[in-house]
């Protein structure tokens, strides 16, 4: 809770982190019990996972949905739950995620692929091979939005995660309480 910026945009419950920080003496134990129960039971109350999506225009006169950037406004408690979950999973991510995955991992970025791509294009441009060369550009824009949740669940099982942990992760990602403002 205290690592969050105090005045971040509120979620559907209308509260910012500053509220929880200010009243921590009174509500901290209740929040801890809620989180303890959620992690032990492997599920969260759907109202905690409610999320508002706001579409921010990327340009002055957007005409298509791709001209907007979606911003998710989550409840502070849900943010805390997911922060704890991520901090618990972080030590295992290096072993679970391929070194070829270049996004969403600390220390790796999408720009890590630009130098190899430039080398491939340079090679093709300067190659005098008789059979020729070819390179494919694959557009993975928003590929992570198309993840099959059943596939994620099976993958977590294959990696040997505990059933309660899998249930908890799936409870977080399968939240049906999503509203667009």
């Amino acid at each position: 809770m205290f690592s969050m910026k105090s005045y971040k945009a509120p979620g559907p419950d209308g509260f910012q982190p500053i509220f929880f920080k200010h009243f921590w003496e009174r509500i901290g134990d209740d929040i801890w019990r809620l989180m303890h129960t959620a992690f032990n039971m492997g599920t969260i109350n759907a109202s905690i996972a409610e999320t508002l999506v706001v579409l921010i225009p990327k340009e002055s006169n957007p005409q298509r949905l791709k001209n907007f950037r979606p911003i998710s406004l989550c409840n502070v408690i849900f943010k805390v739950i997911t922060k704890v979950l991520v901090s618990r999973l972080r030590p295992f991510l290096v072993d679970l995620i391929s070194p070829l995955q270049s996004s969403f991992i600390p220390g790796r970025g999408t720009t890590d692929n630009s130098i190899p791509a430039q080398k491939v294009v340079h090679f093709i441009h300067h190659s005098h091979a008789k059979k020729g060369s070819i390179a494919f550009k694959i557009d993975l824009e928003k590929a992570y939005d198309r993840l099959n949740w059943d596939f994620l669940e099976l993958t977590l099982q294959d990696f040997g995660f505990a059933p309660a942990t899998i249930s908890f992760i799936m409870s977080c990602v399968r939240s049906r309480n999503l509203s667009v403002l």
Side-chain angles (χ1 to χ4, degrees):
M1 179 69 70
F2 291 92
S3 69
M4 297 173 70
K5 293 183 179 177
S6 295
Y7 296 100
K8 295 292 278 183
D13 63 5
F15 294 107
Q16 295 174 297
I18 188 67
F19 171 83
F20 296 93
K21 292 176 183 182
H22 185 76
F23 292 104
W24 190 254
E25 292 291 323
R26 292 185 184 168
I27 62 175
D29 288 340
D30 291 332
I31 292 171
W32 187 90
R33 277 192 294 279
L34 182 144
M35 292 186 60
H36 183 73
T37 301
F39 275 88
N40 283 332
M41 299 300 292
T43 187
I44 57 171
N45 185 307
S47 65
I48 293 172
E50 283 183 22
T51 302
L52 298 175
V53 176
V54 179
L55 300 175
I56 307 295
K58 293 180 184 178
E59 53 190 49
S60 60
N61 189 18
Q63 299 294 315
R64 296 180 159 190
L65 194 56
K66 73 177 190 174
N67 300 128
F68 291 90
R69 179 181 50 232
I71 304 294
S72 296
L73 304 176
C74 305
N75 289 318
V76 172
I77 299 300
F78 186 67
K79 288 180 188 178
V80 173
I81 287 171
T82 56
K83 280 173 138 317
V84 171
L85 183 60
V86 167
S87 70
R88 288 182 175 184
L89 292 175
R90 184 167 281 130
F92 306 103
L93 293 181
V94 174
D95 296 329
L96 298 176
I97 297 176
S98 165
L100 301 176
Q101 170 65 44
S102 60
S103 296
F104 312 110
I105 305 296
R108 300 184 200 169
T110 53
T111 56
D112 293 346
N113 294 328
S114 62
I115 293 173
Q118 288 175 347
K119 286 183 178 182
V120 168
V121 171
H122 182 268
F123 170 81
I124 290 173
H125 188 267
H126 291 93
S127 174
H128 299 292
K130 292 181 180 179
K131 291 187 177 185
S133 302
I134 188 168
F136 292 98
K137 178 187 177 278
I138 302 171
D139 186 2
L140 297 176
E141 180 182 357
K142 303 291 184 192
Y144 56 89
D145 287 342
R146 293 173 183 86
L147 182 65
N148 180 300
W149 297 134
D150 294 330
F151 173 78
L152 174 61
E153 187 171 12
L154 290 171
T155 302
L156 293 170
Q157 289 171 1
D158 286 347
F159 277 122
F161 282 88
T165 302
I166 295 170
S167 174
F168 188 59
I169 291 170
M170 298 315 297
S171 177
C172 289
V173 299
R174 284 186 169 139
S175 167
R176 300 281 187 237
N177 297 326
L178 185 71
S179 302
V180 178
L181 289 180

